[in-house]
Amino acid sequence: YRWGTEFFNGEAVNCPIINLTAQNIPCQGDSVLTFQLLNDPALTVLDRGHRTALSLGVSGGSAALTYAVTGSYGDEIGLIRLPTYEADRYQELLGVAPPEWMRRPQRFTQWGATSRIGVQLGAKASVALTMALSRSTQQKSTLQDQLGDLMSTYLDRTSGIYYRGGTSIFYNAVSQPLDDYYQRVTDVATQFTNGANLEWRPRSWLTVAADAGLNLIHRADEQFFPRGPVNHGIGASGQDTTGYVSEGQGTSLVSTVNLRANVLVPLGRSFQFRAAAGVNYAGTSSRDQGLGTYDLPPGSSAVGQNVYFIRTAAASDATFGWYMEPSVGNGKLNFSSGLRLDGGRSYGANVS
């Protein structure tokens, strides 16, 4: 088959070289014999991606003080791009070049820093402090899921209309096959983690340790469709939209505290008495909220004039407990027991 048009009404069809369709309808063959949208440099959505990664670390110290600091940065751009033909048509329609997020809709950037400081407090105690901060931004597109459909899609540059072949002889006009370029989806995540650890050996048979940690995660997600004409598959005039933006933010906080003591006392005849005791605490709280609006101001991604959903949710809970684990043994024969008690409180969830 080749690209062609039906003789009587001009519809796009598969036209064999005998100029008769499979239903014996006269057709006029075009000059296009084979076409693959993904192989045309001006129409393909595929391009080269690239990745940049940097890392730098510093460490040193002395017997009494050690330190280590590491920083990293990464930037990745995916294979998907806005076709040159569509970029030119966008500029012709709106008078401005398409934004970078539309030209390269898949991108992931990340940076992070970690540090650790260790201090030796004499011969019997030591302290370690750790901290980590990271932030990642991901911009996504679902166009890679449509590559199969685009392989059977044809663009008539005269009319600017996309056609897609099917099981019949006709090519069907496709409305907005590249609509995902007009939609920006971003996810931003920030994470902050810090912790402190103390070890103390007041006696040769007793070790006491304590550690505390905090983990804070914040997410901000956005789905944005700008106001204005969408110029894909409908001809030169395009389709107008008032635009919409959906935003969601969530914060999660986890805090932990652990206290423990270990005892090791020789009893003679190679027997030893061991005992471990400790206290644990873990608290978790989270809060999420979302807002969806439409009818955006022209040229802006600000909140629109009309709201179509508002959502909030919050939850908080905590658990705490203590334990004791005494034992007696000599490596061949051991007697052990244990006791643990846990409790908790929960404020439940509040969703609206």
Side-chain angles (χ1 to χ4, degrees):
Y1 292 104
R2 57 182 173 169
W3 173 263
T5 55
E6 190 176 320
F7 184 79
F8 296 107
N9 57 21
E11 283 193 76
V13 294
N14 287 318
C15 186
I17 60 175
I18 60 175
N19 291 330
L20 286 175
T21 67
Q23 283 75 25
N24 291 322
I25 300 174
C27 61
Q28 177 64 45
D30 204 335
S31 59
V32 178
L33 300 180
T34 61
F35 179 81
Q36 174 52 261
L37 184 142
L38 299 181
N39 292 337
D40 189 315
L43 302 178
T44 183
V45 299
L46 298 178
D47 199 359
R48 291 185 177 182
H50 62 82
R51 180 176 183 268
T52 302
L54 300 173
S55 180
L56 178 65
V58 178
S59 62
S62 62
L65 174 66
T66 60
Y67 65 88
V69 180
T70 303
S72 62
Y73 171 80
D75 185 10
E76 299 182 43
I77 295 181
L79 300 175
I80 304 298
R81 72 174 176 91
L82 179 66
T84 304
Y85 174 84
E86 286 296 339
D88 294 340
R89 184 154 67 161
Y90 182 96
Q91 186 160 4
E92 181 181 352
L93 178 67
L94 300 182
V96 295
E100 182 61 24
W101 62 263
M102 190 180 293
R103 289 180 175 271
R104 300 306 296 258
Q106 292 182 326
R107 187 167 188 175
F108 178 76
T109 59
Q110 183 180 38
W111 60 263
T114 60
S115 66
R116 186 183 188 279
I117 299 176
V119 180
Q120 191 68 34
L121 304 177
K124 296 184 177 181
S126 62
V127 176
L129 303 175
T130 59
M131 186 196 72
L133 176 64
S134 65
R135 183 182 179 90
S136 63
T137 303
Q138 184 175 24
Q139 181 179 297
K140 299 179 293 186
S141 171
T142 59
L143 277 173
Q144 67 270 16
D145 299 331
Q146 302 178 25
L147 294 182
D149 292 335
L150 293 176
M151 291 176 66
S152 59
T153 300
Y154 174 76
L155 172 65
D156 183 0
R157 300 197 190 197
T158 303
S159 63
I161 298 177
Y162 286 88
Y163 293 90
R164 182 168 299 156
T167 56
S168 68
I169 65 171
F170 295 101
Y171 282 88
N172 302 313
V174 181
S175 173
Q176 304 175 17
L178 304 181
D179 190 48
D180 281 330
Y181 280 116
Y182 280 81
Q183 180 175 269
R184 185 183 67 193
V185 179
T186 55
D187 301 322
V188 180
T190 304
Q191 183 170 356
F192 175 68
T193 304
N194 61 11
N197 176 265
L198 169 65
E199 288 193 3
W200 180 37
R201 296 168 294 279
R203 297 289 186 270
S204 60
W205 49 269
L206 175 62
T207 301
V208 179
D211 59 71
L214 185 70
N215 185 24
L216 175 65
I217 300 176
H218 180 265
R219 288 186 58 88
D221 304 328
E222 182 188 74
Q223 186 177 28
F224 166 59
F225 198 95
R227 185 188 187 104
V230 180
N231 187 35
H232 286 150
I234 314 295
S237 61
Q239 175 185 358
D240 192 49
T241 173
T242 62
Y244 64 84
V245 60
S246 302
E247 297 180 346
Q249 296 195 23
T251 302
S252 172
L253 178 63
V254 178
S255 56
T256 59
V257 177
N258 299 293
L259 303 175
R260 57 188 180 277
N262 293 286
V263 174
L264 176 61
V265 179
L267 299 178
R269 295 183 180 274
S270 71
F271 279 89
Q272 293 179 328
F273 171 76
R274 297 174 180 268
V279 178
N280 310 113
Y281 167 83
T284 303
S285 63
S286 63
R287 181 174 181 83
D288 299 285
Q289 55 187 6
L291 174 65
T293 64
Y294 63 96
D295 198 3
L296 307 184
S300 173
S301 61
V303 174
Q305 302 180 34
N306 296 290
V307 177
Y308 63 90
F309 82 84
I310 297 178
R311 181 183 66 252
T312 60
S316 177
D317 61 75
T319 59
F320 47 87
W322 59 269
Y323 65 91
M324 294 181 61
E325 298 176 353
S327 65
V328 177
N330 64 356
K332 296 182 179 180
L333 182 64
N334 291 281
F335 301 93
S336 63
S337 63
L339 176 64
R340 182 173 183 90
L341 179 64
D342 291 295
R345 57 182 170 84
S346 174
Y347 297 108
N350 182 14
V351 180
S352 61

